[in-house]
Every structure is written in C-alpha cells, then in structure tokens.
C-alpha cells in the first residue's frame, strides 16, 4: 500500500515533505583545486564576501548576511550565474577562519536555521566565524517550486486502492507531476544536486578566505560533506559528519531503513510512555503498540475535523509522530498531545508536530539573484528535497518493474513498520518521471585521501540508522573516525552533551577521540 497523502493544503500536505524527506539526495570529473579552478572559474574564486546586518525583524542583531556568486553550470561557467545566501556569527576572539554548517534536509535553509538555532553553536565562535548557507535551489538561493505539480503528486498517491487497481495510471500522473515541477523550477533544476553544491562550497571556502574547509554537517549534510571530501581531498580541514547518511543504498532501501528506524524510535517512546501513569495507552507496552496501530487505522477510516475546516487522518498522525520522534526532548510534549487526541478527540497538539504546510505559488524565474524572504515559494522545502534526492540517485526503474515489485515492497515496508511502512513507501515513486541522477556519489565517493574526519552515529536515530555510520566509515576508509552515541533522536550534537563536547574539541583544537569510542545515553529529563 502506498502512503495515502491527503490533497488538502495544510496538515496533509506536510506529509509530502515528511514522507519523502525524513528518510532522508552532474556527475563528471573531479573538480580542480581552487589554485587551478579550471577554465572560466577563476573569477568566482577571486570574489570576496560583503557582510552586513541581516534584514528582517526576527534576525538576531549579531547575525550578518552576505552572498557568493557561482556558475549555474560548472561545465559552462559563461552560461549564467546564481547568488547563494550566507549568514554568519563572527568569532568572539581571534578567528582562525570559518566553520561551515549544513543542517540537512535536503532542502533546509541554512540561513534560517542558523538564525533560529545559533545559540547551539556559540562555543565554536571561540575560534571560528560560524557560517551557514542556502544551497542552490533552496531558501533565498534561486528556490525551486513545483507549482501545481505538488498537488498532482498528492493526487497520484492519494488512495491505496487506486494504486493497486491501476498502478500505470498512478505512474502516468507522477510523470505529469515531474514535468510540472521541471516547468516551475526553472534553469537551476538540472544543476541542483549535491555534486554541484559541493563545488559551490569550495567557492565559499575560498571566498571566506580559508585554505581548508572546516565543516559540520548534519543528516543530508553528511552526504554533502563526504562528496566534498571526495572532490576536494586536499582542501579538507576539520570535518564532522553527524547523523551519517548512506552513500550507496537506493531510495527504496532508504525508505525501508527509515520505516525501521522510526518504528524502533516509536517503540522506545512507548516503553518510556508506559512508565508514566498519564500515558494515554496505559501501562502495558505490548498493548500500547497495538493501540497506536488501531488509532492510525481508525483515523484513516474516520478522520477527525480540525479547527481549520480540514480533517485529520491516520496518515497525518503518522507524519506528526514521525516529526516528534526526531528528538527525545519532544517525548513529553508528544505524550500530552496524544493524550488530548485519544481522550478528547482534540487534534491541536498533534497538529503542532505536523507543521510546515505549504501552498503552491508559481515562480516565473529560476536562477539569478537572491530572492526576498517573503517571495520564497511555500513549497520550496519538499520541492527541493525531491529534486536533490533524485539528482543524487541514478536508479530509474521502469513502470513495469515498479508495478511488478509493488506487492513485494508493500509487504516489506509493512513488516518493517506497521505504523510507518505504508507512509514511507511513497519514497519508492518519488523520482519516477525525472531524469536519471548522477552515479558519482555511489561510484566515486570512497577511499578518500583526507585528514581524519569525525563521524557521529546515534543508536536510536529514526532517520539515519547507526549501520549507515559504520557503512559510510568503511567506505570512506582510514580517514573516518566513528563516535558511537548511545542516545535517542536524529543526530547527536544538540541532544548529547558528550557529543557536543567531543565535536567542539575536534573542531576547535583538533582533538579526536579513539575510533569507535562512545557517548552514553543521557537522562530523559522526565518531570
């Protein structure tokens, strides 16, 4: 059964971003080093960034904004340019350069995230300017949009019976949706993948005045960091990858891993919940798990009305729970929200976790200068997420192969998770109708010849399973040093004091822990 994604505009629409994104994303010869940037690229490597106060009432006073200009197409640098938005917190003392952050997604705005969560990185300003950016196609940097293609995508996957009865018709709708996305995204779409963004990061490194790139990447940002290391090994400084992504698994396997990871996180939450007399599912963990499955099925059969005039389905609940499981700190809030839903039929609490709904404005352009915040397409996050993931994935199974495999995949996903499996299976179809992506990541990002890099894997991570940390470390080779975080949630830097200290010690002082050392699970903070 494919995930049933509502064609409503609010809560249900955020399921697109969650379903294809919480799983989690052109090739050519390796880029030349900055000292020999290649024909037509030297002017980009010579630029300097003009920093000024960030605009907007919500921008922190000490946050500065700037931009860098990069080629639209690195193979034809004369064919047009893009401006990429940057933001930074200045070093509080003597600066040794910059540390560049990517918060993941793909499709997340680094500028917005740094403005919102900058306090988590203030210790790094003891030695660095802390910098983040909106990658090409994201946020203010020529943001892509699907226009009505997002609605077409929702309609195509809205209804399990339709998929089983006539999968060819569903695939035809998906192809039409992909064409709609291509029309509205503009000229940046063919150049939106991670390989191009890694080249942008090298331009940023030079523009920031750094001989080596110091980098902290989360989730998808770990894939970006690994690609940079493969393309620019002689420019790698101190690099940390937290919540390590896969470099090899196809999207269908990534979705399956995501379903398994979320199921494990849900079961850990339930084990925690039933220890509390206020848990809405009682005090027996096995029965509580069955109640969650029944609750989802009940809401799919008979959705509840919301305050916005829409309805709240079981799949909306699955998306909301999935969001909440990203951080153990949210468990008490999730428990209260579920109690409101179960005991009073009140959806407001769980709807709060399903934030990020988007509308469907149409973009006229797709490349060039920075976009004002108020003009960013509201569907940019899911549109960019799908575009980047598909640009990074070389697999394009035929309609016949998808139709043939659908039953087997449905069974595998439902076995992986009776709650999240149906929801996550949509990822299998997300790239249908789009051009084949690059094979560079799968084939070439391995055995990197770089200084030591720190890879952080979290045992209870619902999005990037710990085995991906081990697999990626083995693939990268002797340069990879693994830190085993025994905690819960997606990534470790913000949730584990031990991980935070270890990462900061490496970035600031070059102090690396022994390979396969660990950080213990921390107090859940109940009460």
């Amino acid at each position: 059964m494919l995930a049933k994604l509502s064609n409503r505009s609010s809560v249900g629409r955020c399921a697109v971003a969650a379903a294809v994104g919480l799983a989690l994303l052109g090739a050519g010869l390796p880029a030349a080093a900055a000292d020999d940037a290649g024909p037509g690229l030297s002017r980009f490597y010579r630029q300097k960034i003009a920093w000024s106060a960030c605009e907007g009432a919500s921008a922190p006073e000490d946050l500065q904004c700037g931009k860098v200009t990069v080629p639209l197409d690195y193979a034809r640098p004369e064919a047009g340019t893009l401006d990429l938005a940057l933001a930074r917190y200045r070093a509080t003392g003597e600066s040794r350069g910059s540390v560049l952050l990517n918060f993941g997604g793909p499709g997340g705005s680094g500028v917005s995230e740094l403005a919102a969560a900058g306090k988590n990185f203030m210790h790094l300003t003891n030695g660095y300017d802390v910098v983040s950016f909106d990658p090409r196609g994201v946020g203010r940097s020529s943001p892509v949009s699907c226009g009505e293609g997002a609605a077409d995508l929702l309609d195509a996957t809205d209804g399990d019976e339709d998929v089983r009865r006539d999968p060819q018709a569903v695939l035809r709708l998906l192809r039409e949706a992909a064409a709609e996305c291509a029309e509205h995204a503009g000229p940046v779409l063919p150049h939106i993948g991670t390989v191009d963004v890694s080249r942008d990061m090298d331009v940023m490194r030079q523009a920031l005045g750094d001989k080596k790139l110091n980098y902290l990447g989360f989730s998808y940002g770990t894939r970006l960091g690994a690609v940079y290391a493969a393309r620019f090994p002689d420019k790698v400084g101190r690099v940390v990858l937290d919540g390590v992504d896969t470099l090899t698994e196809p999207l269908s396997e990534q979705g399956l891993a995501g379903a398994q990871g979320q199921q494990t996180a849900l079961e850990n939450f339930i084990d925690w919940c039933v220890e509390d007399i206020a848990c809405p599912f009682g005090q027996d963990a096995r029965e509580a798990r069955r109640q969650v499955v029944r609750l989802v099925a009940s809401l799919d059969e008979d959705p509840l009305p919301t305050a916005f005039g829409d309805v709240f389905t079981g799949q909306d609940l699955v998306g909301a729970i999935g969001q909440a499981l990203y951080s153990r700190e949210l468990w008490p809030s999730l428990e209260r929200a579920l109690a409101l839903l179960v005991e009073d039929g009140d959806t407001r609490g769980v709807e709060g976790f399903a934030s990020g709904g988007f509308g469907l404005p149409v973009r006229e352009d797709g490349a060039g200068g920075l976009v004002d915040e108020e003009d960013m397409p509201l569907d940019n996050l899911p549109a960019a997420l799908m575009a980047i993931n598909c640009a990074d994935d070389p697999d394009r199974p035929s309609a016949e192969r998808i139709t043939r495999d659908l039953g087997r995949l449905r069974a595998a996903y439902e076995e992986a998770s009776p709650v999240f499996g149906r929801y996550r299976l949509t990822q299998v179809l997300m790239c249908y109708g789009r051009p084949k992506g690059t094979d560079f990541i799968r084939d070439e990002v391995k055995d990197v010849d770089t200084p030591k890099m720190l890879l952080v894997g979290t045992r209870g991570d619902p999005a990037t399973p710990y085995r991906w940390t081990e697999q990626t470390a083995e693939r990268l080779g002797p340069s990879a040093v693994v830190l085993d975080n025994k905690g819960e949630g997606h990534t470790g830097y913000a949730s584990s004091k031990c991980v935070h200290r270890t990462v900061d010690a490496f970035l600031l002082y070059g102090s690396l822990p022994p390979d396969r050392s660990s950080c213990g699970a921390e107090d859940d903070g109940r009460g």
Side-chain angles (χ1 to χ4, degrees):
M1 289 178 290
L2 291 177
K4 181 179 180 182
L5 302 179
S6 167
N7 59 5
R8 293 170 284 109
S9 62
S10 173
V11 174
R13 290 199 182 278
C14 84
V16 176
V20 298
L22 300 185
L24 319 173
L25 250 141
L29 296 174
D35 296 334
D36 183 20
L41 296 178
S42 60
R43 64 188 177 104
F44 298 102
Y45 276 91
R46 287 197 302 265
Q47 67 186 300
K48 301 296 181 185
I49 303 169
W51 296 100
S52 61
C54 295
E55 298 178 358
S58 62
E61 290 184 3
D62 53 344
L63 186 68
Q64 295 182 321
C65 286
K67 69 176 183 179
V68 295
T69 301
V70 296
L72 173 65
D73 181 354
Y74 277 90
R76 298 186 304 126
E78 73 287 349
T81 63
L82 301 170
D83 288 340
L84 307 181
L86 286 81
R88 74 170 178 180
Y89 288 103
R90 294 292 306 275
T92 54
E94 184 176 350
S95 175
R96 68 191 68 177
S98 302
V99 59
L100 191 65
L101 309 183
N102 181 279
F103 296 98
S109 165
V111 171
S112 297
E113 189 67 25
L114 188 61
K119 64 181 181 180
N120 293 323
F121 306 95
M122 286 301 102
H123 189 243
L124 292 175
T125 62
N126 289 335
Y128 292 108
D129 294 343
V130 176
V131 182
S132 192
F133 65 103
D134 289 354
R136 54 174 62 208
V138 173
R140 297 186 62 208
S141 302
S142 300
V144 294
S145 169
C146 278
E148 293 299 326
D152 293 341
L153 175 64
L154 290 163
D155 291 341
T157 55
D158 188 13
D160 304 324
E161 293 303 322
D162 290 341
V163 172
R164 280 187 278 188
R165 185 170 57 250
D166 192 359
Q168 293 290 333
V170 171
L171 295 176
R172 186 167 58 251
L173 287 173
L174 287 169
R175 184 179 291 279
E176 293 171 0
E180 191 81 16
C181 290
E183 179 182 345
H184 286 85
V188 71
L189 186 62
H191 310 286
I192 198 176
T194 299
V195 175
D196 281 297
V197 178
S198 72
R199 302 191 70 170
D200 294 340
M201 289 206 315
D202 199 56
V203 174
M204 292 178 209
R205 174 198 59 75
Q206 184 76 3
L208 290 166
D210 295 330
K211 292 183 178 180
K212 305 281 187 179
L213 179 76
N214 302 305
Y215 178 76
L216 173 55
F218 300 97
S219 192
Y220 159 77
T222 68
R223 186 191 315 171
L224 178 56
V227 171
Y228 183 89
R231 297 199 68 114
F232 301 95
D234 59 331
K235 299 301 179 183
V236 169
R238 295 172 184 172
V239 168
V240 179
L241 311 179
D242 183 2
V244 182
D245 202 354
T246 178
L247 299 175
T248 58
E249 290 190 359
L251 289 172
S252 60
E253 293 300 317
Q254 291 181 41
L256 190 62
Q260 292 168 332
Q262 286 184 302
Q263 183 67 30
T264 299
L266 175 61
E267 291 174 359
N268 291 343
F269 164 75
I270 289 173
D271 289 343
W272 172 90
C273 181
V274 298
E275 295 295 320
D276 184 3
I277 193 66
C279 182
F281 305 116
Q283 275 62 63
D284 181 84
R286 182 174 297 180
E287 174 58 24
R289 293 185 182 105
R290 287 195 286 261
Q291 286 190 45
V292 173
V293 175
R294 290 198 294 266
L295 177 61
V296 170
S298 173
L299 286 171
D300 276 334
E301 183 70 24
D302 188 17
L304 287 172
T306 74
F308 299 101
D310 292 323
V311 292
F312 190 83
T313 71
Q315 295 311 298
D316 292 333
L317 177 61
V318 172
I321 293 173
Q323 292 280 2
L325 293 176
Y326 262 35
S327 171
R328 191 181 180 110
E329 293 178 357
L330 296 176
W331 285 8
S333 298
L334 177 60
E335 180 187 34
R336 291 191 293 270
L338 288 170
L340 279 174
L341 178 66
V342 171
E343 296 164 9
D344 301 326
D346 188 340
T347 64
R348 287 176 295 178
V350 285
E351 283 183 84
F353 292 111
S355 60
F358 55 90
L360 301 167
V362 175
R363 277 186 53 74
E364 300 268 328
D365 59 336
L370 296 182
V371 172
D372 291 338
E373 235 176 274
E374 59 270 22
D375 294 329
M376 290 190 301
L378 295 178
D379 73 323
N380 176 237
L381 174 58
L385 183 148
M386 287 187 286
I388 295 167
N389 272 332
C390 296
D392 285 5
D393 187 87
D395 298 323
R396 291 296 184 272
S398 65
E400 292 72 23
R401 172 73 180 271
I402 292 173
T403 302
R404 186 174 66 248
D405 289 351
L406 212 48
R408 176 184 59 79
L409 287 169
R410 184 163 57 243
Y413 272 65
E414 290 182 345
E415 181 180 358
S417 172
V419 175
F420 296 99
R422 172 185 171 192
Y423 188 79
R424 296 301 294 266
L425 185 53
T426 305
Q427 185 169 15
V428 175
L429 302 180
M430 64 182 286
C431 297
Y432 186 79
R434 292 175 182 255
K436 179 181 176 181
T438 180
D439 56 8
F440 179 86
I441 298 172
R442 191 176 295 176
D443 292 348
E444 302 297 332
V445 183
K446 58 185 177 181
D447 301 321
V448 296
D449 183 15
T450 69
K452 297 290 187 183
M453 299 184 290
L454 180 61
L455 278 61
V456 181
T458 297
R459 291 286 179 166
D461 196 317
T464 51
Y466 184 79
R467 65 180 174 83
W468 284 357
T469 301
E470 295 182 317
Q471 290 170 0
T472 298
E474 182 177 358
R475 184 173 177 84
L476 294 177
S479 295
V481 174
V482 171
L483 177 64
D484 181 354
N485 177 30
K486 307 293 188 181
E488 302 287 340
H490 186 36
T491 73
Y493 188 78
S495 60
S496 166
K497 293 177 182 177
C498 171
V499 171
H500 201 289
R501 287 194 303 268
T502 304
V503 168
D504 284 358
F506 173 53
L507 289 173
L508 287 168
Y509 312 116
S511 176
L512 265 175
D515 187 31
R516 296 315 198 273
S517 59
S518 65
C519 286
E522 298 188 2
D523 185 2
D524 62 28
R526 190 195 292 278

